[in-house]
Amino acid sequence: MTTVTFHTEGSRITGFEMQGHSGYAPQGEDIVCAALTSAVRLTECAVNDVLGLEAAVKVRDKDAFLSLKLPGTLGQTNESTCQALLAALMVHCVQLAEEYPENISVLEV
C-alpha cells in the first residue's frame, strides 16, 4: 500500500510524504503507482523548477519514499500558489484512494 501523508500547520499545508508500493500490479506495470508518482513529481517540479523555490525534497528508492517540505517563509504570491498546488495534489490523492482503497491511504497530520 502507498501512504501519502500531508503535513499541516493550521490551515497551511507544509509538505507531504509518499511511501510504499501500491501493490496494484508488478513494479513497472502499476498504474496506481504511476498516477501517484506523476502527480507528486509534477507538484515538485512546479514548486522548485517553475516557481524557483527551494523546497526540501528527499527521495529513497529502496523503500519508495519521497517527501517535500515547503520553506518556512514564502512571499504572498508563492504561498498562495504553493497552497493551491498542494491542495490540488491532496484532492487528487484522495480521489485515487477512493477509487483504489486497497492500494492508497491518505492521511493529514
Side-chain angles (χ1 to χ4, degrees), residues 1-2 18-21 27 58-66:
M1 176 172 282
T2 300
M18 181 176 77
Q19 184 165 9
H21 293 287
Q27 194 170 354
K58 293 182 186 175
V59 178
R60 292 192 313 257
D61 290 333
K62 65 182 178 195
D63 59 347
F65 175 87
L66 186 143

Side-chain angles (χ1 to χ4, degrees), residues 90-100 106:
M90 184 185 293
V91 169
H92 180 68
C93 290
V94 166
Q95 288 175 345
L96 285 171
E98 289 171 354
E99 199 170 337
Y100 299 97
V106 179

Side-chain angles (χ1 to χ4, degrees), residues 38-60:
S38 180
V40 163
R41 285 184 177 173
L42 175 66
T43 303
E44 188 274 326
C45 287
V47 170
N48 283 334
D49 299 329
V50 175
L51 295 175
L53 303 176
E54 296 182 7
V57 176
K58 293 182 186 175
V59 178
R60 292 192 313 257

Side-chain angles (χ1 to χ4, degrees), residues 11-49:
S11 62
R12 182 178 191 249
I13 303 171
T14 60
F16 63 85
E17 296 174 352
M18 181 176 77
Q19 184 165 9
H21 293 287
S22 74
Y24 182 78
Q27 194 170 354
E29 300 175 16
D30 193 325
I31 61 169
V32 174
C33 185
L36 286 169
T37 300
S38 180
V40 163
R41 285 184 177 173
L42 175 66
T43 303
E44 188 274 326
C45 287
V47 170
N48 283 334
D49 299 329

